[in-house]
Amino acid sequence: LFRSSPLSPKCSPASSGGSQPASNASNTSSGGISSSVSIPHMIHHIASSYVSITSNFLHAYEIWEKADKLAKKNKEFFAELSTVVCPLALNSSMSELVHYTRQGLQWLRLESNIP
C-alpha cells in the first residue's frame, strides 16, 4: 500500500545515517502481516508529473505519426503550398509558419466549402 506523505524534503533520520525501518508492519487479525510505505509528498508529485508528461509526449507522438502519414499522402498539396508561400524549414520564422498555415487552411476551407 503506497500513500503520499506530507513529509518535507528536509533530511530524515534515514538520510542522516540513523536507522529507520523500511516499512511499518503490523499483525492483522488473520495472522498475516500488513505493511505500508510512506512516500514523501515531493517524490509523489515528481512521479505524478513524470507520468503526465510521458502521457502527453506519447499522445503528441501519435498525432505526429498521423500527420506524417497525411502529409505523405498529399505531397502535391504541400509542394504547391511551398511554391506559393515559401518552403518551411527548421529555421523558418514564426511569421513564415503562420503565413504558411493560414494559406493552407484557406485552401482547405475553399475545397470543403466552409465559410
Side-chain angles (χ1 to χ4, degrees):
L1 172 67
F2 293 101
R3 57 186 160 82
S4 179
S5 170
L7 297 176
S8 67
K10 296 178 183 173
C11 292
S12 67
S15 65
S16 61
S19 64
Q20 181 178 5
S23 66
N24 299 326
S26 61
N27 288 328
T28 62
S29 60
S30 62
I33 295 179
S34 171
S35 64
S36 66
V37 177
S38 292
I39 300 173
H41 182 71
M42 181 61 81
I43 299 297
H44 183 267
H45 177 71
I46 290 170
S48 177
S49 293
Y50 174 79
V51 168
S52 177
I53 290 167
T54 303
S55 175
N56 289 338
F57 181 78
L58 292 173
H59 183 67
Y61 181 77
E62 289 173 2
I63 292 171
W64 183 272
E65 288 292 308
K66 288 178 185 177
D68 195 41
K69 288 177 184 176
L70 287 171
K72 287 177 182 175
K73 283 183 182 177
N74 299 289
K75 285 183 181 181
E76 300 83 22
F77 175 84
F78 291 105
E80 188 176 346
L81 185 59
S82 292
T83 303
V84 171
V85 181
C86 67
L88 287 182
L90 290 175
N91 60 350
S92 295
S93 70
M94 187 59 73
S95 63
E96 291 171 329
L97 175 63
V98 169
H99 185 64
Y100 186 94
T101 304
R102 283 182 177 169
Q103 184 65 52
L105 289 173
Q106 182 179 353
W107 286 357
L108 292 173
R109 278 189 209 108
L110 291 173
E111 282 186 27
S112 61
N113 297 320
I114 297 175

